[in-house]
């Protein structure tokens, strides 16, 4: 037996209100989120802000003093990219509940997002996965044996 239309509409409205409140909570949390990451040589820590923007750079233990400009630039780019990737994955995780269909009302479908199109393909890779065909980070390929390009 099917539910009366009024009852289904009441459930849908309650679920919509709950979803709106959850979206507002998620937006508030995401506005204050930030993530940091270290470069693989542990010389640089970068912080990405709520929109993936570079919010901070720290040069650790004066390691930068012994680095060539190209090595330092590569470390900064690596750390900034890793911090941004962490932030992007956090956004994906926070938004995941809104991409699922309603368990109570199957008619209420979640919304579809193309995360790869929004953030790039690296956001869908596992943390330990390297891009296909590149055994080392691409920024390292630009450096010669002495850290020169």
């Amino acid at each position: 037996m099917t539910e009366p239309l009024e009852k289904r509409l009441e459930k849908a409205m309650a679920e919509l209100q709950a979803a709106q409140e959850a979206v507002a909570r998620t937006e508030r949390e995401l506005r204050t989120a930030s993530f940091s990451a270290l470069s693989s040589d542990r010389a640089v820590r970068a912080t990405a802000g709520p929109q993936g923007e570079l919010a901070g750079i720290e040069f650790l233990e004066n390691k930068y003093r012994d680095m060539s400009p190209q090595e330092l630039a590569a470390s900064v780019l690596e750390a900034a990219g890793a911090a941004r990737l962490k932030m992007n994955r956090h956004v994906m995780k926070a938004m995941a509940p809104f991409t699922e269909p309603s368990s109570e009302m199957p008619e209420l479908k979640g919304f579809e997002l193309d995360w790869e199109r929004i953030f790039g393909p690296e956001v869908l890779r596992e943390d330990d996965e390297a891009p296909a065909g590149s055994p080392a980070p691409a920024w390292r390929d630009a450096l010669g044996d002495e850290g020169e390009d």
Side-chain angles (χ1 to χ4, degrees):
M1 182 170 185
T2 61
E3 268 184 299
L5 182 60
E6 293 83 21
K7 195 68 155 171
R8 291 182 58 174
L9 185 57
E10 185 179 307
K11 278 184 179 179
M13 292 302 292
E15 189 157 340
L16 177 60
Q17 183 175 354
Q20 288 172 328
E21 290 168 3
V23 166
R25 276 192 311 275
T26 302
E27 285 178 348
R28 282 191 303 274
E29 186 274 328
L30 289 175
R31 276 195 297 269
T32 61
S34 66
F35 285 87
S36 294
L38 289 174
S39 59
S40 57
D41 59 12
R42 306 182 83 57
V44 177
R45 177 183 295 119
T47 302
Q51 295 179 330
E53 75 280 8
L54 188 58
I57 292 282
E58 293 176 67
F59 299 102
L60 306 172
E61 301 175 16
N62 292 321
K63 290 180 180 183
Y64 69 94
R65 293 180 188 266
D66 297 324
M67 298 172 81
S68 72
Q70 293 85 359
E71 289 173 316
L72 181 57
S75 291
V76 168
L77 290 174
E78 177 192 11
R84 185 172 181 218
L85 182 59
K86 284 183 179 183
M87 187 68 219
N88 292 347
R89 287 180 174 162
H90 179 69
V91 169
M92 285 176 55
K93 185 176 178 182
M95 297 302 288
F98 308 114
T99 65
E100 301 294 324
S102 167
S103 59
E104 295 289 321
M105 300 287 299
E107 298 87 354
L108 298 177
K109 307 233 182 289
F111 59 89
E112 288 186 34
L113 290 171
D114 186 347
W115 295 115
E116 183 174 355
R117 189 167 153 241
I118 294 169
F119 294 130
E122 64 278 354
V123 78
L124 298 178
R125 289 191 193 110
E126 295 296 322
D127 286 333
D128 57 348
E129 269 185 60
S134 102
W139 57 266
R140 289 283 184 202
D141 294 340
L143 298 176
D145 292 336
E146 300 299 317
E148 301 293 325
D149 57 351

